[in-house]
Amino acid sequence: NVVSKIFNYKLHLRHPRIPLRRGTNQIMIGGIKESLSFLSLLILVLGSTSAFHFPSSPLTTSRQICRHRLQMTYYPSPTETEKEIYNIPNSGWKSKQWNWGSASGTGHDAAMICRRRWDSREERQKLVQSLLDPVEFKASYPDSEVPFEEVKLILGLAWQRGRWDGSDGGPGGYGEVLSIMADARRYEDEDEMISALNFIEDVSKRFATISRNAEELKRMKCIATEIQGRHHHAGKEEVFMDRREVAGMVLDAMGFVDNGL
């Protein structure tokens, strides 16, 4: 019968000295033709061979992350260059009246408002989520984006607090970025694109001091490497979205949601 002839054919493949029974070749050839015909029909129905691609590993690699980022669609956002915070006159890191770290000045006034505004854990969680996926957030809530100058203030206060519990990364960590930010030059260039790229570079370089696992460290490296490699061809909105994302990753890794300011 057919089953015994198929079994005979398998034995012949493993042990060529075993002869094929009469009719076995015809059965096997016929089976192959039928299989090929079925495969051709399936390809025509589906329109491609994509159905035969096996699923990739569930572990997301840095290359997969980078590929996903290149496929993102960036939406126009409100200006990210506004320096005044909370409508306080003469506020902002570059203002001579800012006086970061002092008990007087517009920096002190803005910090008081900032701490009150982000006193709720729920609001802090929403902020971090909006920063971690800025493109999707902007598409869904176009008028709810937190100005990046305020994000910088939040980071500054978080890093300031982090000096006492080590959540700023300790020596070589984000205390250095805070000093650069207070110096109000490297992230306050007249060309906002350069300021954003400088910010991404400095923040990404120190992320290893606070990252919680290898996967999020890969994600940070991917963002920095990808934008640095193609920033001459990237638009401002893309760079601004990357700046938001790295800021969100830092706040998330520092425990900002639980610890506050």
Side-chain angles (χ1 to χ4, degrees), residues 21-41:
R21 294 174 58 186
R22 180 179 298 177
T24 299
N25 273 336
Q26 286 77 5
I27 290 176
M28 299 313 299
I29 292 172
I32 291 172
K33 286 182 178 179
E34 289 181 4
S35 298
L36 288 174
S37 298
F38 176 75
L39 182 60
S40 300
L41 178 62

Side-chain angles (χ1 to χ4, degrees), residues 20-90:
L20 287 173
R21 294 174 58 186
R22 180 179 298 177
T24 299
N25 273 336
Q26 286 77 5
I27 290 176
M28 299 313 299
I29 292 172
I32 291 172
K33 286 182 178 179
E34 289 181 4
S35 298
L36 288 174
S37 298
F38 176 75
L39 182 60
S40 300
L41 178 62
L42 189 58
I43 291 173
L44 287 174
V45 171
L46 295 178
S48 72
T49 58
S50 59
F52 306 103
H53 293 172
F54 290 97
S56 57
S57 169
L59 295 177
T60 304
T61 64
S62 58
R63 181 176 296 179
Q64 288 171 325
I65 294 172
C66 288
R67 187 183 302 116
H68 170 69
R69 294 184 57 74
L70 289 173
Q71 295 170 347
M72 283 182 174
T73 300
Y74 292 86
Y75 296 85
S77 65
T79 176
E80 301 243 4
T81 59
E82 176 62 47
K83 299 303 178 183
E84 194 173 271
I85 305 174
Y86 303 134
N87 296 319
I88 300 174
N90 300 310

Side-chain angles (χ1 to χ4, degrees), residues 151-201:
V151 174
K152 284 164 62 181
L153 174 58
I154 294 167
L155 285 167
L157 293 173
W159 291 333
Q160 193 176 63
R161 180 189 183 282
R163 289 183 301 181
W164 306 109
D165 61 10
S167 60
D168 68 338
Y174 289 99
E176 296 179 355
V177 181
L178 178 56
S179 296
I180 296 171
M181 196 152 65
D183 187 51
R185 284 183 290 182
R186 184 163 166 80
Y187 311 141
E188 309 299 330
D189 194 276
E190 291 184 3
D191 186 335
E192 191 64 26
M193 186 88 147
I194 293 176
S195 295
L197 290 169
N198 288 342
F199 180 88
I200 293 170
E201 179 183 359

Side-chain angles (χ1 to χ4, degrees), residues 86 88 108-121 123-124 150 153-154 157 261:
Y86 303 134
I88 300 174
H108 176 71
D109 297 338
M112 291 179 63
I113 297 173
C114 187
R115 288 191 175 98
R116 288 198 302 268
R117 178 173 182 184
W118 302 107
D119 186 52
S120 163
R121 186 187 188 283
E123 291 303 312
R124 294 195 298 271
E150 182 179 356
L153 174 58
I154 294 167
L157 293 173
L261 299 173

Side-chain angles (χ1 to χ4, degrees), residues 187-220:
Y187 311 141
E188 309 299 330
D189 194 276
E190 291 184 3
D191 186 335
E192 191 64 26
M193 186 88 147
I194 293 176
S195 295
L197 290 169
N198 288 342
F199 180 88
I200 293 170
E201 179 183 359
D202 293 352
V203 167
S204 63
K205 281 183 178 178
R206 292 164 176 83
F207 193 64
T209 64
I210 64 170
S211 63
R212 297 160 295 184
N213 55 63
E215 196 57 42
E216 65 180 14
L217 184 58
K218 286 180 182 178
R219 178 180 176 183
M220 177 67 82

